[in-house]
Amino acid sequence: MLETIKNAWKVVEIRKKILFTLFIIAIFRIGSVIPVPFVDPSALSSTEMTNEFFSYLSILTGGGLEYAAIFAMSVTPYINASIILNLLCVAIPALERLSKEGEEGQKKIAQLTRYLTVVLGLIQGVAYFLYLKSNLLLSVSGTGSLIFAGFVITLAFTAGSALVMWLGEQIDAKGIGNGISIILFSGIISRAPQAANTLLSYWKLGKQLTVVGILLAFLLVIAFIVWMTGAERRIPVQYAKRVVGRKMYGGQNSHLPIRVNMSGVMPIIFASSILMVPTMVLSFMTDSQKPLYKFLSLFSTRGLLYAVLYFILIIAFAYFYVTIQYNPVEMANNLRKNSGAIPGIRPGKPTSDFISKILSRITLMGALFLSVIAILPILVGTVGGINISLGGTSVLILVGVALETVQNIESQMMMRHYKGIFD
C-alpha cells in the first residue's frame, strides 16, 4: 500500500487528486469542530455523550456531535437516504424502471437521493436540537429566543449535511476514491487518538491482559478482513468457437468471479440503522419506570438481544443486497448470448439455477463473515468490560475504504502507464 502511494505521488495528475482529496478532508474536519450558534460551549464540554444512539452517530461523524458542530450529521443522512432509495427501487416498479435506464436513470436516482438527504438532515437536525434543549446545553432563555435558536440550529445542521454531501461529490469528480466513503473514513479515523487514550487508561488500571488481547484481536480482524475481501469463487466458463467470415473467435476458457463478500459493509450499516431506532426513541424518554422504557432498554448495544438480532439482520440484509444486485437469469442469458457455457451444465435454466445455488452458498459465507466481525467486539467488550460494541463496523469501514482507495490509485496508475500502439 505504501509503495503504491509512493509511486502515485510521482505522477503529477494523481498527486493533484490526492492533494485535492486531502484538502476536502481538511475542510470536513474543520467543520466538524466549529459549533453552531446558541450552544453553550462550557456546558457542552462538561457533558459526556452517554446516550447510545448519539454515541453511535458520534463514531460515524468523527466526534462532530460532541461539539454540536456544523457538520455534526456528517454523511449519515446521505447513507440513510441511499439505503431508503435502494429499498424503494425494489418495492416501487417506477423507481425500479428508472434505475435500469442507464446513466440518465442513475442521475435521476442521485437527484432523488440528494433531496431525501436534505429531508433526513432536517429531521435529524430537529432531533439533535431537542436533545440539546432537554440537556440544557443552549445559551438562550425565553420562548421567542428558543424558537429562533431552534430554527437557526436546525437550519445549520441541515445545511451542514447538504454541504458534506457536496464535498463528497467533489471528491468523486476531482479526487481519489469514493467521496462519501473517504469522508466516512476520515471521521472514523479521527477517533483513533481517543481510542488509544481509552486503552491507555485501562492499561493504567491494571487491565494489561485485556488491552493486549484487544490489540491482538484488532490486528487479526484486519488481516482476516483483508483476506476475505479478496476471496472469490471462480465459476469456470468455456466459450464455443465461432467462425465469422474468415476469422475464428472464441474457444478459450475463462471464469466468472464471484466475491465472497459481495455486499461489502452495507448489510452492517442496514442492520445497525434499524437496531438504532429503539435507542433513538429511548433517548427522548425520561421516565425509566415506564414499561416501554424497560422494553427499549433491552436493545442496548451491549446486550445479548442486540447481538442476536444484529447477527440475524446482517445475514438477512446480505441476501437482500445480493438479490437486488445480481440476477442469475440475466447472467445465464449473457453467457448464452456470448456462446459461453459452464462445463457440465446445460445453458438456460440449469445454468441460472446453478449460479443461483453458488450465489446462495457464497452469500451465506460472506454474511457469516460480516456477522462474526460485527458481534465479536460486543462479546470482547462484555468479557473485558470495555465498551467497543461498534468497533467491528468501524474496522470494516476503515479496511474496506482503504483497500478500495488503493485499488483506485493502482487503476489510475495503470491507465497512465499504458503504452498505445504508436509508443
Side-chain angles (χ1 to χ4, degrees), residues 89-108:
C89 284
V90 177
I92 302 177
L95 287 177
E96 184 179 5
R97 290 193 298 269
L98 188 63
S99 64
K100 295 180 179 180
E101 289 181 1
E103 186 176 351
E104 287 300 320
Q106 293 301 321
K107 287 182 179 179
K108 294 179 181 178

Side-chain angles (χ1 to χ4, degrees), residues 211-226:
V211 173
V212 172
I214 289 176
L215 292 176
L216 289 176
F218 179 74
L219 295 176
L220 290 175
V221 165
I222 291 179
F224 184 55
I225 292 173
V226 173

Side-chain angles (χ1 to χ4, degrees), residues 3 21 44 59 86-87 113 145 152 161 179 181 210 315 344 353 356 359 380 415:
E3 188 68 23
T21 303
L44 190 64
I59 291 174
N86 282 331
L87 295 176
T113 305
S145 300
V152 173
S161 301
S181 299
T210 301
I315 294 177
D353 292 341
S356 179
L359 282 174
V380 173
M415 287 183 355

Side-chain angles (χ1 to χ4, degrees), residues 87-379:
L87 295 176
L88 291 179
C89 284
V90 177
I92 302 177
L95 287 177
E96 184 179 5
R97 290 193 298 269
L98 188 63
S99 64
K100 295 180 179 180
E101 289 181 1
E103 186 176 351
E104 287 300 320
Q106 293 301 321
K107 287 182 179 179
K108 294 179 181 178
I109 293 293
Q111 192 66 22
L112 291 175
T113 305
R114 295 189 189 100
Y115 293 147
L116 187 56
T117 298
V118 174
V119 173
L120 293 179
L122 179 63
I123 295 173
Q124 291 186 14
V126 171
Y128 191 37
F129 164 72
L130 295 176
Y131 174 80
L132 295 173
K133 175 177 171 293
S134 62
N135 286 272
L136 304 177
L137 300 177
L138 302 178
S139 58
V140 294
S141 60
T143 305
S145 300
L146 187 61
I147 294 175
F148 178 73
F151 175 77
V152 173
I153 291 174
T154 303
L155 187 63
F157 285 144
T158 307
S161 301
L163 184 55
V164 169
M165 177 181 61
W166 181 81
L167 291 175
E169 292 178 349
Q170 296 307 302
I171 294 179
D172 291 336
K174 304 176 184 178
I176 289 289
N178 181 279
I180 299 299
S181 299
I182 293 293
I183 290 178
L184 186 61
F185 177 91
S186 64
I188 295 175
I189 202 68
S190 66
R191 309 284 292 182
Q194 182 177 349
N197 188 42
T198 302
L199 291 177
L200 182 61
S201 64
Y202 279 105
W203 181 278
K204 293 179 179 178
L205 290 174
K207 297 183 178 181
Q208 289 87 356
L209 291 178
T210 301
V211 173
V212 172
I214 289 176
L215 292 176
L216 289 176
F218 179 74
L219 295 176
L220 290 175
V221 165
I222 291 179
F224 184 55
I225 292 173
V226 173
W227 179 63
M228 288 296 291
T229 300
E232 62 182 20
R233 166 74 156 86
R234 297 183 177 182
I235 301 177
V237 177
Q238 187 173 11
Y239 290 94
K241 294 181 180 180
R242 294 179 301 158
V243 178
V244 181
R246 295 184 178 181
K247 294 184 178 180
M248 181 177 294
Y249 297 91
Q252 74 271 20
N253 296 324
S254 184
H255 63 269
L256 188 65
I258 299 178
R259 295 175 57 188
V260 174
N261 185 22
M262 291 178 287
S263 53
V265 76
M266 291 306 296
I268 288 184
I269 296 177
F270 280 26
S272 59
S273 299
I274 289 179
L275 288 178
M276 277 299 156
V277 173
T279 56
M280 179 182 67
V281 176
L282 190 65
S283 64
F284 297 102
M285 298 181 65
T286 56
D287 189 359
S288 59
Q289 300 303 320
K290 287 185 177 181
L292 180 60
Y293 186 96
K294 295 180 179 179
F295 172 73
L296 294 177
S297 299
L298 296 176
F299 295 90
S300 170
T301 56
R302 307 179 193 182
L304 178 61
L305 179 61
Y306 179 89
V308 173
L309 292 177
Y310 204 19
F311 186 89
I312 295 173
L313 285 177
I314 289 174
I315 294 177
F317 278 120
Y319 274 97
F320 171 78
Y321 189 84
V322 170
T323 301
I324 65 176
Q325 292 292 327
Y326 296 89
N327 188 348
V329 176
E330 184 177 349
M331 296 169 69
N333 291 336
N334 290 334
L335 284 177
R336 175 184 283 182
K337 290 178 183 178
N338 292 284
S339 301
I342 300 174
I345 307 296
R346 295 175 57 188
K349 190 176 184 304
T351 298
S352 64
D353 292 341
F354 178 79
I355 295 176
S356 179
K357 184 171 66 173
I358 295 296
L359 282 174
S360 179
R361 292 177 179 177
I362 296 299
T363 302
L364 179 60
M365 292 180 60
L368 290 175
F369 152 69
L370 291 176
S371 301
V372 170
I373 295 297
I375 68 171
L376 183 62
I378 300 177
L379 301 178

